[in-house]
Amino acid sequence: MQTLESLLKKGTTILKDNGLEEAGLDAWLLLEFKTGKNRAYYFAHGDEPVSDETAAEYLTLIDRRAGHIPVQQLTHQAFFMGYEFYVNENVLIPRQDTETLVEEALKHLGDVEKPEILDMCTGSGCILLSLLLERQDACGTGVDVSPEALEVAKKNASILKVENRADFVESDLFSAPYFCEKGGKDSGKYDILISNPPYIPDYEYETLMTEVKEHEPKTALVAEDNGYFFYKKIIDEGKNYLVSGGVVLFEAGYNQAQN
């Protein structure tokens, strides 16, 4: 029978042999997920036996990770702004870099009372929902063209208990009747429009890591017009849904912000 220690070593070796750069960390995260044992417990009880069933399930996860499926998709857990989000193959995995966008939005909201937030290309909902968690007086709308992504966002809103302050709309940017007929909401005006849209040029897509290129939705990554399509559309049309003095905030590629 395997022990915690022997199982971790086996998982790490398999991942190393398959070229995973963070084999030790990934093997540990999957072991913690499958056994529920934290590091303190592991170091004190590394010789504890693991049931054959649990060991087999763990090694199945290891084999899937060896195939470059992201850890977060295997565990359905991703952490963003200190909150845990459910993720699957239908949404981008939240990145730590995007936390900067949320922090900047909080600065702009400042003393705005009961702010209204529009999150375009919401995906998992991590941006909008984090803002709602940080601002308990805020309400918001998350928009995405993918119904599968919106199901994930709604699930997260429910898990995080902010579903009463978050609406979700299936729309190709501002094309849905929700926007055409209602201007986005009753007043038609938001205090902030925030977005992490697709912005990778098609020619750069093939250079992405296998985990991203083969296991995250391409439609949430790649944009026409050398990556600028969504920026231009959102800026052009989004101003119609902002209050006077409202702001638009984007995540941008490393070589795009200056443009």
Side-chain angles (χ1 to χ4, degrees):
M1 181 175 285
Q2 299 267 16
T3 65
L4 289 170
E5 183 177 9
S6 67
L7 202 56
L8 179 61
K9 287 181 178 179
K10 187 171 185 177
T12 301
T13 298
I14 292 171
L15 296 185
K16 281 183 177 179
D17 290 346
N18 282 273
L20 276 295
E21 292 184 4
E22 297 188 339
L25 175 60
D26 291 350
W28 165 255
L29 290 173
L30 292 174
L31 183 70
E32 184 178 39
F33 169 73
K34 182 46 62 178
T35 66
K37 310 299 185 184
N38 61 28
R39 283 194 181 273
Y41 187 95
Y42 171 82
F43 287 122
H45 306 282
D47 59 350
E48 180 178 291
V50 178
S51 72
D52 291 341
E53 180 181 4
T54 298
E57 291 173 353
Y58 171 72
L59 292 175
T60 296
L61 290 176
I62 287 292
D63 287 342
R64 295 182 70 198
R65 178 66 188 116
H68 293 271
I69 298 175
V71 169
Q72 295 91 336
Q73 288 184 7
L74 296 173
T75 63
H76 296 298
Q77 296 172 326
F79 293 88
F80 184 80
M81 292 293 294
Y83 304 109
E84 182 179 335
F85 289 85
Y86 172 87
V87 295
N88 62 22
E89 70 279 2
N90 296 311
V91 297
L92 293 184
I93 296 167
R95 267 75 168 175
Q96 188 174 0
D97 288 349
T98 308
E99 293 183 2
T100 303
L101 182 64
V102 174
E103 291 164 356
E104 193 65 24
L106 290 170
K107 292 177 186 176
H108 280 279
L109 290 175
D111 297 327
V112 177
E113 294 184 5
K114 297 181 179 179
E116 295 274 1
I117 302 161
L118 176 59
D119 178 18
M120 190 60 66
C121 309
T122 194
S124 68
C126 65
I127 292 174
L128 172 63
L129 300 179
S130 294
L131 287 169
L132 298 186
L133 288 163
E134 294 293 317
R135 285 292 303 264
Q136 293 294 319
D137 61 334
C139 292
T141 304
V143 180
D144 206 286
V145 70
S146 165
E148 294 81 10
L150 289 173
E151 285 304 310
V152 174
K154 291 174 185 176
K155 182 181 181 77
N156 281 319
S158 178
I159 291 170
L160 296 167
K161 303 185 186 306
V162 292
E163 67 269 34
N164 62 323
R165 294 190 284 126
D167 293 322
F168 293 98
V169 179
E170 182 181 342
S171 181
D172 186 358
L173 297 181
F174 300 93
S175 64
Y178 183 86
F179 292 104
C180 298
E181 296 173 6
K182 298 182 180 179
K185 60 191 185 72
D186 290 343
S187 67
K189 301 295 181 182
Y190 290 89
D191 297 288
I192 191 167
L193 193 170
I194 191 166
S195 182
N196 179 15
Y199 59 76
I200 296 173
D202 212 28
Y203 60 83
E204 286 187 7
Y205 181 70
E206 292 304 319
T207 69
L208 299 178
M209 295 173 57
T210 302
E211 283 83 348
V212 177
K213 185 171 56 177
E214 296 187 4
H215 298 288
E216 296 191 71
K218 183 176 182 179
T219 54
L221 292 163
V222 175
E224 299 175 0
D225 194 10
N226 289 321
Y228 291 99
F229 174 82
F230 289 94
Y231 296 131
K232 292 178 179 178
K233 288 283 288 184
I234 292 172
I235 289 171
D236 182 51
E237 299 179 31
K239 60 181 180 291
N240 298 321
Y241 303 95
L242 289 171
V243 300
S244 176
V247 296
V248 178
L249 294 178
F250 291 115
E251 177 166 322
Y254 71 95
N255 59 348
Q256 292 174 317
Q258 68 275 17
N259 296 322

